[in-house]
Amino acid sequence: MFATVHSATLLGVDGHAVTVEVHVSKGLPGFTVVGSPDTVCREARDRVRAALLSSGLEWPLRRITVNLAPSGLRKGGSGLDLAIAIAVLVASEKVPGLPINDLAFVGELGLDGSVRAVPGTLSMIDAVTQPAVVVGHAAAKEAELVGRHTVRSVATLGELVAALWGDEPWPERPPADAAGETAEPADLADVRGQPVARQAIEVAAAGGHHLLLYGPPGGGKTMLATRLVGLLPELDRAEALEATRIHSAAGAPLPPGGLVRRPPLRAPHHGASKVAVIGGGSSWMAPGEISLAHGGVLFLDEMAEFPVDVLEALRTPLEEGVVRVARANFRVSYPARFLLVGAMNPCPCGAARGPGHCRCTPTSLARYGRRLSGPLLDRFDLRVNISPPEPRDLLGGEPGESTAAVRERVERARHRAWQRQRCVNGQLTSRALNQLAPLHADCHELLEGHLASGRLSARGLRRIRCVALTIADLLGVEPPLRPDLLALAMQLRNEPAFLYERMAV
Amino acid sequence: MAEPTTVTDSRPPPDAWVVAMATLPHMGPGRLRAAVRLGEPELTWTRDVVSGRAHRQPALQKKLGKNARAIAEQWAQVAARVDPATLWRAHADAGIGIATLGNPAMPAVLAGDLAPPGVLFWLGDPDVVVGPRVGIVGTRDCTRYGRDIAFELGRDLAAVGVSVVSGLALGIDGAAHAGALAAEGAPPIGVVGTGLDTVYPRQHRRLWQQVVERGVLFSEYPLRTGAEPWHFTSRNRLIAALADVLVVVESHAAGGSMHTVDDAERRQRPVMAVPGPVRSPASAGTNKLLSEGAIVARDVLDVLVELGLKDRPPRAAAEARPPPNAAGQHVLEALGWQPATFEQLVMRSGRSLAEVSASLEQLQRDGWVDGRGGWYERVAKAGARS
């Protein structure tokens, strides 16, 4: 006796439709799973058998062969449990075969017969072509995000079998936990003073410019970086689905609505391994921090403490917006278009209050400076020296502008950029830049000195023009770019102190 | 003695064994002096050093202290691998001048010092040590203010024929010599703490060469000696010995320049200090010296008076910079004379970010302000850029 049941599996962040074929025949009782299952998937044998028995269903004492087709595709995880169980039941005629053809099953089985959610449900449901899907209650909301299927959810295998026989109606979904209140995100109004730092994160949000904050400890670098994500506009539906797929595939918790609407903020500790940041893994491929930050902000605090190979691995994704991970048996690509925000001290001692206070030796400074390569530093359009706010501002100062007010300005600037060139200013090509952001004639005097002295490279000039264009968008002025905007852009793209030979004549 | 024809049959002068002794580990100026004073260097080398019995010599034993025996053994091990003739040849090939204690070639001011060097190496012309000399020292981690003052002092002193003595370190030392070279006046005198083939700091390779070409570079260390922290304190004593007046431009409260000051006081050399802002840590040491009675060095005139030279320095050129406009003046006032960040300037001036950055650009172009590493400093005089 033979049965076929539809399901799906996850590779990278993409779902792939899988057909579970079960053959139950005479012979020595046994249960084999073929068709490239990984370890977790192979363990389905034990879970499925126990779940059936716990649900009061009979386990056929015959030879059972499960094939996961297409057999060349690697199947990972426990999402096929439910489909295997149903296929066994259909093949042993414990469940009617007819309704099965229009259903797909995704879920993990507990030994007690309960049906659980699995990571990557969204992508897997997206891959199935059947008009209806069956998942555990916990995954129902996520499954509905796809919008193409009738989503049935069950708590246990027993409930599912009853529903398939038509003995019982499909079970009602339990009401979602009322704990849907998310913590109020940090507001920019908490940042007192620091006009330059505020301007920098506003420009970063409006133009999609990567931002490096450096300065002594206690300057509020972390505080600013966490405020930046609040300035970004909400993700549109396509971006939100993409972000949700990645979060789901990584098993990261989803917001109460199921859809990741707010741009995410990821802040891995500097001890993070390369695989954790970039994504990958040998047996179970998972998206890394850079993909979880897709559409949002990747914040690297104490950036100089990250291993050099992790930082260097960021370069290609920064350029391409996608990371392609290749292993011997499989290749996956994860979307990774994020806004990089780095924070670091200017030197190992922290140089709290400016030149003349640093007690680092030239050797230790040189070593520290080498931790961030030139090409990586080049990716930062904004490099801002963050000094601690003046005590006056901390104690009595007016609260600054709120996140909502600044976000409105950011959204207007992004809208202008979109109208003009269909991308954020940070992604402008140099040809488009020449067309869209001509320089005012007065700028030449300003730039000549910088270019002649070698303080500004051709690439640096291009990046400065991008930043100046964003500032113009924020102010609502049209190009050509005026010299004061260009000067401000240069201020926001400072050379970090350690790049210089210190004070040497 | 016949003129040597080949390396093998050449018989090096007695100084070669002193140079060999200078290469030994744990060999400071004091120990070398004691060893040289034992008499015939070749005899000292074979009888005491190579044999491992250096600690049996009472004069050396006193200098070697508790570990005399262990050091003597180490010397014997190292000495077994040193060939004084080859070493001598290497120095001669590198064009290095050598004088041991008692040799008339050593500049008299060093030979007659409280703690004269056992052996002195030089590149350049040692006979330039004749005219008035001013030591200019200070911290490596200096501010723009200190660098400018050191540069101007070096330039103006050299222009009126006063040699600048300094250590070629980063910061103040280097700026003083850069100024002296810019004036194309009196020959510069450098004292370094490494072998003369080991440029330290490496950034100063060019400065180092220029000092050799135009003046003289002294060292107490044989070729291939690297930079060790303890070399610099003994180098500082040579700077103090060579200078008629010592000027400290900027120094942290516990900086290395304070050792030079102690050495100068021991030799009754006048110590001058450049006053700095009382809040600036880079001036903490100099301000402390002033409160303890050091002589104030505001400009080159103060130093010349202390040297007993009546000549007035050439008048400084009239202000060559275009005057700042109203906005620029406002930003300059907000900047004051202490380093400040862009953000501090925005807060203090109360102007918009774009206005302040445009003003800063203009001020930098006209030479009123110098910015590096995100910090801005006001530049006192035109032309002091280095």
Side-chain angles (χ1 to χ4, degrees), chain B residues 68-79:
Chain B
R69 190 188 198 94
I71 294 174
E73 276 169 21
Q74 209 182 336
W75 279 4
Q77 279 171 15
V78 175

Side-chain angles (χ1 to χ4, degrees), chain B residues 183-344:
Chain B
E184 309 210 338
I189 300 171
V191 188
V192 298
T194 60
L196 289 170
D197 59 342
T198 310
V199 177
Y200 178 90
R202 274 180 293 180
Q203 297 95 306
H204 280 177
R205 180 170 290 281
R206 211 179 127 61
L207 189 65
W208 185 292
Q209 279 166 356
Q210 285 176 325
V211 169
V212 169
E213 282 162 20
R214 307 256 293 274
V216 65
L217 201 55
F218 288 120
S219 169
E220 279 186 279
Y221 301 95
L223 291 178
R224 287 194 285 285
T225 309
E228 303 289 352
W230 58 89
H231 290 178
F232 293 97
T233 46
S234 63
R235 175 209 53 185
N236 290 347
R237 115 189 168 275
L238 293 188
I239 293 176
L242 281 164
D244 297 322
V245 169
L246 183 73
V247 182
V248 188
V249 177
E250 263 190 333
S251 173
H252 291 83
S257 312
M258 292 305 175
H259 294 288
T260 321
V261 168
D262 292 343
D263 286 322
E265 281 170 349
R266 227 169 275 144
R267 289 165 175 77
Q268 274 95 46
R269 302 280 197 274
V271 174
M272 306 184 77
V274 175
V278 289
R279 289 190 209 285
S280 166
S283 286
T286 40
N287 286 337
K288 182 157 156 277
L289 286 174
L290 289 172
S291 79
E292 288 166 0
I295 304 151
V296 180
R298 291 167 303 177
D299 56 14
V300 67
L301 205 54
D302 283 344
V303 182
L304 290 175
V305 166
E306 192 55 36
L307 274 171
L309 297 175
K310 299 280 174 260
D311 313 27
R312 280 192 70 90
R315 274 183 68 85
E319 183 59 68
R321 297 175 286 190
N325 60 16
Q329 190 59 41
H330 193 81
V331 171
L332 266 190
E333 277 161 24
L335 174 55
W337 291 99
Q338 285 282 293
T341 60
F342 175 53
E343 187 158 76
Q344 285 166 336

Side-chain angles (χ1 to χ4, degrees), chain A residues 3 29 32 54 70 157 165 225 237 251 305 307 309 366 377 406 429 464 474 483:
Chain A
T32 43
S54 309
L157 185 60
W165 276 117
R237 180 155 170 91
E305 304 301 329
D309 63 330
L377 274 171
V406 179
T429 60
I464 281 170
L474 281 166

Side-chain angles (χ1 to χ4, degrees), chain A residues 223-503:
Chain A
M223 187 177 183
L224 286 159
T226 49
R227 267 46 173 197
L228 170 56
V229 72
L231 299 183
L232 293 171
E234 292 218 324
L235 301 177
D236 66 30
R237 180 155 170 91
E239 289 169 335
L241 269 179
E242 187 82 88
T244 312
R245 278 154 59 94
I246 298 166
H247 275 71
S248 166
L254 295 176
L259 199 59
V260 179
R261 279 218 162 274
R262 284 300 312 157
L265 169 69
R266 301 297 299 188
H269 181 258
H270 55 71
S273 72
K274 190 164 158 186
V275 168
V277 172
I278 301 303
S282 47
S283 60
W284 172 244
M285 298 287 266
E289 292 289 339
I290 60 168
S291 297
L292 287 166
H294 179 72
V297 173
L298 178 70
F299 175 46
L300 302 183
D301 205 356
E302 302 297 350
M303 192 159 173
E305 304 301 329
F306 276 84
V308 172
D309 63 330
V310 172
L311 293 181
E312 292 306 303
L314 293 175
R315 275 160 53 185
T316 334
L318 276 173
E319 207 75 344
E320 300 179 352
V322 63
V323 55
R324 284 180 290 276
V325 181
R327 295 289 184 267
N329 295 328
F330 39 10
R331 279 143 193 79
V332 297
S333 65
Y334 298 111
R337 191 168 294 292
F338 54 91
L339 184 59
L340 178 61
V341 180
M344 62 190 292
N345 290 326
C347 62
C349 79
R353 284 157 302 158
H357 291 81
C358 173
R359 307 306 298 143
C360 302
T361 63
T363 346
S364 70
L365 272 180
R367 196 179 308 130
Y368 194 72
R370 276 200 298 275
R371 303 195 66 111
L372 260 66
S373 70
L376 182 63
L377 274 171
D378 248 4
R379 302 290 194 284
F380 288 104
D381 289 354
L382 300 167
R383 298 187 288 230
V384 187
N385 188 358
I386 301 292
S387 41
E390 312 251 345
R392 238 190 356 263
D393 295 312
L394 278 182
L395 292 173
E398 300 267 303
E401 265 184 303
S402 69
T403 294
V406 179
R407 194 200 296 171
E408 199 188 310
R409 209 157 50 227
V410 167
E411 276 169 8
R412 267 207 307 274
R414 279 190 166 236
H415 182 68
R416 287 175 79 95
W418 183 254
Q419 293 280 312
R420 189 173 53 224
Q421 74 234 8
R422 305 280 146 191
C423 69
V424 290
N425 294 336
Q427 289 163 12
L428 270 181
T429 60
S430 52
R431 182 202 255 162
L433 190 66
N434 285 333
Q435 270 175 13
L436 300 171
L439 292 174
H440 197 278
D442 296 351
C443 293
H444 295 278
E445 193 194 352
L446 168 76
L447 291 172
E448 261 165 27
H450 284 280
L451 288 169
S453 69
R455 278 202 281 179
L456 194 59
S457 64
R459 185 192 167 96
L461 174 60
R462 212 154 56 229
R463 305 318 303 171
I464 281 170
R465 286 173 70 177
C466 286
V467 174
L469 184 60
T470 305
I471 300 172
D473 285 342
L474 281 166
L475 293 173
V477 296
E478 291 293 332
L481 300 171
R482 295 200 318 258
D484 58 338
L485 298 187
L486 218 55
L488 177 53
M490 272 191 243
Q491 282 295 344
L492 297 178
R493 197 172 188 273
N494 254 315
E495 292 300 327
F498 56 78
L499 286 183
Y500 281 97
E501 282 175 6
R502 180 178 54 163
M503 298 298 168

Side-chain angles (χ1 to χ4, degrees), chain A residues 59-112:
Chain A
W59 181 257
L61 282 175
R62 303 164 78 176
R63 183 172 178 81
I64 305 171
T65 308
V66 176
N67 178 36
L68 308 173
S71 49
L73 179 74
R74 187 184 172 98
K75 286 98 194 161
S78 49
L80 294 169
D81 286 6
L82 190 57
I84 294 174
I86 295 298
V88 169
L89 290 170
V90 173
S92 54
E93 292 168 351
K94 297 290 188 300
V95 160
L98 209 55
I100 302 301
N101 291 331
D102 290 339
L103 285 171
F105 299 85
V106 173
E108 175 186 316
L109 284 178
L111 297 187
D112 57 352

